[in-house]
Amino acid sequence: VINKTDIAMKNIQYKLSYGNKKGEMVWDQNYSVLEEDVFGPLEPNAVLPLTMTVPKGKTDLFFSITNDDVSIGLDEFKYEKLN
C-alpha cells in the first residue's frame, strides 16, 4: 500500500477484487481492514507492505494472470484522518 496523498490515514477499510478480464477472480470483493493499533497510521508518501494468502484452488489462476489480462478493483475505500 502506497499513500500518495497528503493525508495521514488510519483504520483503512476496502474491498479488493483481483482476477482476469474473463471474470475469473482470485479475490472477489475481499474485505480488508488495516486497524491503526495493528498497522499504525499510513502517513503521506509512506509505504505499508502487506501480504495476502492466495485462496486454496486459486494458485494456477493467480500465476496465469498477466498485465494484459488483469482486472483489479478497489471498492468501498474508507479511512479516518489522523489528527
Side-chain angles (χ1 to χ4, degrees):
V1 178
I2 302 171
N3 183 359
K4 297 297 282 182
T5 73
D6 60 356
I7 301 168
M9 301 176 194
K10 64 180 183 176
N11 300 320
I12 300 166
Q13 304 172 42
Y14 59 89
K15 290 184 179 179
L16 173 72
S17 297
Y18 179 88
N20 63 30
K21 290 180 181 175
K22 294 182 221 169
E24 300 168 311
M25 304 307 288
V26 176
W27 295 283
D28 190 9
Q29 295 288 298
N30 186 68
Y31 178 72
S32 295
V33 178
L34 309 178
E35 296 177 354
E36 180 186 20
D37 57 340
V38 175
F39 294 94
L42 183 57
E43 298 288 345
N45 298 305
V47 176
L48 175 65
L50 295 176
T51 60
M52 294 179 65
T53 302
V54 176
K56 197 172 215 160
K58 301 281 185 165
T59 304
D60 288 344
L61 174 59
F62 178 79
F63 285 115
S64 73
I65 296 170
T66 65
N67 286 341
D68 294 333
D69 191 37
V70 68
S71 175
I72 301 173
L74 190 66
D75 297 307
E76 298 182 30
F77 183 83
K78 299 175 188 173
Y79 65 91
E80 297 172 28
K81 285 185 180 180
L82 187 65
N83 296 329

